[in-house]
Every structure is written in C-alpha cells, then in structure tokens.
C-alpha cells in the first residue's frame, strides 16, 4: 500500500543516499521497455552485472516487469564458474551498467547472450506514478519465479534455486543496501541494522555465523530484527546462533 499511495516515500537507501518509489518505478519502467523491445518475455532469463546499488534493484524490477527472471552475475568469479552459470541458467540477455567491466572473455565468447546497457535518466517523474506502481506490483504476482540463485558449489557444481515472488519493495518496505566491504565488517553491519532499525535481514549463512559471533562476543543484539533469511548453502547451527535467536 505504501508503494501505491506514497510514491515519494523512500524505497532504497544506499551509501547515505535515498531514492523514492517514484524514482525506482520510473527507472524500472525505462529498463522494462528496453528489454521488451529486445524480446524479453515471460520466464526469459536475464542477467545483470553490478554491485549492490539503486541501479541493481531497478534492473531487477525492470526484468520482472518485462516478465523475465533475474539472474545475478558476479564477474569476480572464475571464468569457468561464470561460463557454467551462464550456460546452466540458459541466459539470453545480460544487462551491464555503464561503468561495469563486462568485456570478460567468457561473456563475449558466448554468442547467444545479448549484452545491453542501461542507465538512469535524470528527468522529472512523468505520468501517473500510482498506475505505474500498480503495474509493477501486478506483474510481480504473475511471475511464478522472479530470481535464480546459485549455491556456492563448495561440494561440487553449484545448484540453481528458483525463488518466488515476495519482495520487500512489493509490500512498501524500505530496502537498505550495503556494499561488499561493509557486509564483511560485522561492526559496520550491526551499525547499519541498528541505525536503520532493520526488521528483515537477507544474508549468506556464513555472514550470519560471523554476525552472531560478533554480537555474542560484545553482548549487543539488534532489538529491531525480527526475521532473517539465508540462502545459497546450508546453515550451521552453532551455540552463538542459538543464543542470538533467543535474545
């Protein structure tokens, strides 16, 4: 409801910057238009190369609005791992941000992948943002799967996991994004959770292990946190994890 009735409400916070739902929806619709013209339709797999950012979230929503399935691509992985994931996911399109190094050999050699560039337009919000937001939310409910995630592959080849259509932004929440360095710094991660009163946290199992150990060691626990989602590999239940969830 917040996304529909309060388009100027904050949708994303990233590096001390905030973005409204109006900005997010407009950018997502621009991207979906590009993708639709290129041939993206229901269940087509679309990859995206970028760090966590406003553009990443807008691209994900744009892909979903076009009917596609979002596949995150990490170009810091080995060429062999990238090649496996791109082939296994049957990737058809790859979105690369303007500053991204996407001229990786393993990508350019895969001729069946169309590489697209998109960037945020610094233009005033146009049209009825309420109707645009409703259109995106309606599209989310029609997609059986919205996101294709791969396990770490620590016990062999990575396994793909298709995730369903529940998103924080779809229910009017505020998404707090942190960078890779901040995610690895447990003191910084805890500060973000406390500062923004985070209620739902989505992190890899290994990060949860480090976070719970850190909180137990310093005897402080985020009172706002209500739900934690882990994915990608099995979670080891340690004594610190047990204690963290009893606080």
């Amino acid at each position: 409801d917040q996304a529909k009735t309060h388009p100027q409400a904050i949708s994303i916070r990233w590096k001390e910057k905030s973005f409204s739902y109006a900005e997010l929806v407009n950018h997502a619709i621009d991207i979906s238009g590009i993708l639709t013209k290129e041939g993206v339709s229901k269940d087509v797999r679309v990859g995206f190369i970028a760090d966590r950012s406003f553009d990443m979230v807008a691209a994900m929503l744009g892909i979903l609005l076009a009917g596609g399935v979002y596949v995150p691509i990490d170009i810091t992985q080995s060429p062999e791992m990238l090649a496996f994931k791109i082939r296994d996911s049957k990737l058809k399109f790859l979105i690369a941000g303007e500053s991204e190094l996407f001229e990786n050999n393993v990508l350019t050699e895969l001729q069946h992948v169309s590489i697209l560039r998109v960037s945020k337009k610094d233009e005033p919000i146009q049209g009825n943002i309420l109707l645009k937001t409703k259109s995106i939310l309606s599209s989310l409910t029609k997609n059986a799967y919205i996101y294709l995630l791969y396990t770490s592959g620590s016990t062999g080849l990575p396994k793909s996991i298709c995730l369903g259509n529940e998103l924080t932004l779809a229910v009017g929440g505020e998404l707090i994004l942190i960078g890779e360095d901040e995610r690895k710094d447990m003191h910084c991660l805890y500060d973000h959770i406390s500062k923004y009163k985070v209620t739902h946290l989505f992190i890899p199992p290994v990060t949860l292990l480090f976070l719970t150990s850190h909180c137990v060691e310093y005897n402080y626990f985020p009172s706002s946190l209500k739900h934690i989602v882990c994915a990608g590999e099995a979670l080891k239940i340690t004594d610190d994890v047990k204690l963290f969830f009893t606080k």
Side-chain angles (χ1 to χ4, degrees):
D1 290 340
Q2 183 177 1
K4 296 178 181 179
T5 59
H6 302 284
Q8 297 306 323
I10 294 175
S11 63
I12 297 171
R13 291 188 186 274
W14 166 244
K15 290 185 175 181
E16 304 303 322
K17 295 182 179 180
S18 61
F19 302 88
S20 70
Y21 271 91
E23 292 176 284
L24 178 61
V25 169
N26 255 31
H27 192 21
I29 287 175
D30 287 340
I31 293 173
S32 71
I34 294 172
L35 295 176
T36 300
K37 289 180 181 178
E38 292 292 334
V40 175
S41 57
K42 184 175 176 57
D43 294 335
V44 171
R45 310 290 172 84
V46 183
F48 184 70
I49 298 177
D51 293 329
R52 296 175 185 87
S53 65
F54 169 76
D55 284 338
M56 179 197 76
V57 180
M60 180 176 70
L61 292 178
I63 291 168
L64 303 182
L65 185 56
V69 176
Y70 173 73
V71 183
I73 300 295
D74 181 2
I75 58 173
T76 65
Q77 293 183 318
S78 68
E80 294 78 15
M81 187 63 73
L82 279 171
F84 168 78
K85 289 183 177 180
I86 291 172
R87 292 192 180 100
D88 183 74
S89 66
K90 298 180 175 60
L91 204 65
K92 298 297 183 183
F93 298 89
L94 180 64
I95 298 176
E98 291 207 338
S99 62
E100 300 302 326
L101 268 178
F102 69 94
E103 293 88 354
N104 185 298
N105 287 337
V106 71
L107 301 182
T108 55
E109 288 174 0
L110 296 175
Q111 299 300 317
H112 66 280
V113 177
S114 298
I115 298 177
L116 308 174
R117 284 181 179 273
V118 296
S119 60
K120 184 176 182 298
K121 298 178 181 179
D122 294 322
E123 297 177 353
I125 303 301
Q126 300 291 334
N128 189 323
I129 196 67
L130 176 59
L131 293 179
K132 292 180 178 181
T133 305
K134 286 182 177 179
S135 175
I136 283 188
L137 297 180
S138 175
S139 295
L140 295 185
T141 62
K142 293 176 181 178
N143 291 20
Y145 298 109
I146 64 172
Y147 190 97
L148 186 65
L149 178 71
Y150 277 87
T151 61
S152 64
S154 57
T155 59
L157 289 176
K159 297 179 178 62
S160 62
I161 303 171
C162 290
L163 302 181
N165 58 8
E166 293 185 6
L167 292 175
T168 297
L169 295 171
V171 294
E174 184 176 313
L175 182 62
I176 311 298
L177 296 175
I178 62 173
E180 191 66 18
D181 291 339
E182 290 84 355
R183 183 177 69 84
K184 294 178 180 178
D185 183 335
M186 294 303 104
H187 183 72
C188 184
L189 177 57
Y190 177 85
D191 282 350
H192 272 74
I193 295 172
S194 298
K195 178 180 179 180
Y196 296 110
K197 296 180 173 56
V198 172
T199 58
H200 293 65
L201 184 64
F202 183 38
I203 54 175
V206 65
T207 304
L208 179 60
L209 293 180
F210 288 134
L211 177 63
T212 54
S213 295
H214 179 80
C215 290
V216 169
E217 179 181 356
Y218 290 95
N219 195 34
Y220 51 60
F221 302 88
S223 59
S224 63
L225 199 56
K226 304 301 181 185
H227 301 279
I228 298 178
V229 178
C230 292
E233 57 190 39
L235 171 63
K236 183 179 179 181
I237 306 300
T238 64
D239 289 340
D240 287 343
V241 170
K242 292 178 182 178
L243 180 58
F244 181 86
F245 280 97
T246 61
K247 294 294 185 176

